[in-house]
Amino acid sequence: NAGVTQTPKFQVLKTGQSMTLQCAQDMNHEYMSWYRQDPGMGLRLIHYSVGAGITDQGEVPNGYNVSRSTTEDFPLRLLSAAPSQTSVYFCASSPGSSSYNEQFFGPGTRLTVL
Amino acid sequence: RKEVEQDPGPFNVPEGATVAFNCTYSNSASQSFFWYRQDCRKEPKLLMSVYSSGNEDGRFTAQLNRASQYISLLIRDSKLSDSATYLCVVSGNYGQNFVFGPGTRLSVLP
């Protein structure tokens, strides 16, 4: 199993550009989520999904869209990039609804918005 | 007040030392508790779940005090390879909405 994969690893955007961060998992996990990590702030939840066709907002959803058309894929779209979105983005998945389920993280995407 | 707070760190300790990390959480409805480890420029990985009765995994011991809303992690006989940032994580029902603390960085020195 590849686990959770993310592409690209690095990206530089100009203000106002749009892009999609890709996330895929091959573990048949129902639950997937996107976080951003900024220095001193910890990981903050952007959006999450409890299954195909179902998404919901996390703590910091503004400026981001998600969709979940398949169990495997959970892309994150930046609609109009802003310098405040410069961050490291992690995608994670876990097996399901048990509150003790481990989250498995992808390697992250380092995004810089100029 | 942040939902999950941790010792600010960094902690610099010699090999073989015992080090303890503290974490407090504000949401009394939190159901699940974890410690994750994050190496520099890498993704977080689960170190251990924290159970109400406390639990141990080799050199690592985790404790939970629900009344005080406090979680701890004790590392005994520190190794160089323990150098990392340790993240305290809490979640509500159904494992959704995991909330991460800011992390405490540990450097184990030779």
Side-chain angles (χ1 to χ4, degrees):
Chain A
N1 285 353
V4 181
T5 57
Q6 291 184 238
T7 56
K9 285 193 168 70
F10 301 94
Q11 183 70 50
V12 178
L13 293 178
K14 294 181 179 176
T15 298
Q17 287 184 312
S18 62
M19 79 160 293
T20 299
L21 308 186
Q22 301 292 344
C23 174
Q25 51 91 10
D26 60 359
M27 298 175 282
N28 202 31
H29 285 172
E30 290 296 322
Y31 182 74
M32 296 186 74
S33 52
W34 276 102
Y35 295 87
R36 60 177 288 173
Q37 186 173 33
D38 303 293
M41 298 285 292
L43 281 84
R44 290 182 293 168
L45 183 66
I46 303 171
H47 285 283
Y48 66 96
S49 168
V50 299
I54 306 169
T55 64
D56 207 346
Q57 296 181 350
E59 180 188 355
V60 288
N62 291 343
Y64 308 95
N65 274 357
V66 292
S67 59
R68 184 95 179 271
S69 56
T70 67
T71 299
E72 294 77 21
D73 299 298
F74 191 42
L76 178 73
R77 278 180 285 278
L78 279 70
L79 309 172
S80 177
S84 60
Q85 294 178 304
T86 293
S87 189
V88 181
Y89 291 85
F90 289 103
C91 178
S93 74
S94 67
S97 61
S98 168
S99 59
Y100 275 96
N101 277 327
E102 175 182 355
Q103 286 203 91
F104 295 84
F105 285 84
T109 294
R110 283 164 175 76
L111 176 68
T112 301
V113 182
L114 303 175
Chain B
R1 181 186 172 191
K2 289 183 183 175
E3 199 165 337
V4 178
E5 299 196 57
Q6 296 185 238
D7 292 329
F11 284 33
N12 298 314
V13 302
E15 269 187 291
T18 296
V19 59
F21 300 129
N22 301 309
C23 171
T24 57
Y25 60 96
S26 61
N27 186 350
S28 59
S30 297
Q31 296 289 325
S32 307
F33 310 90
F34 310 87
W35 284 101
Y36 275 71
R37 171 197 167 123
Q38 186 174 25
D39 292 303
C40 188
R41 300 181 71 79
K42 298 286 190 182
E43 71 273 22
K45 293 185 179 177
L46 179 67
L47 178 67
M48 58 196 304
S49 301
V50 186
Y51 302 116
S52 295
S53 54
N55 46 301
E56 187 173 308
D57 183 2
R59 298 181 294 109
F60 300 85
T61 300
Q63 296 282 350
L64 168 64
N65 184 323
R66 285 187 183 267
S68 303
Q69 295 179 202
Y70 168 85
I71 307 159
S72 66
L73 175 69
L74 185 76
I75 305 176
R76 291 180 299 278
D77 189 22
S78 300
K79 311 291 185 194
L80 296 176
S81 57
D82 294 333
S83 297
T85 296
Y86 291 83
L87 305 171
C88 176
V89 186
V90 305
S91 77
N93 287 331
Y94 307 113
Q96 297 168 14
N97 287 356
F98 285 76
V99 181
F100 284 75
T104 302
R105 189 157 58 90
L106 171 67
S107 293
V108 181
L109 308 172

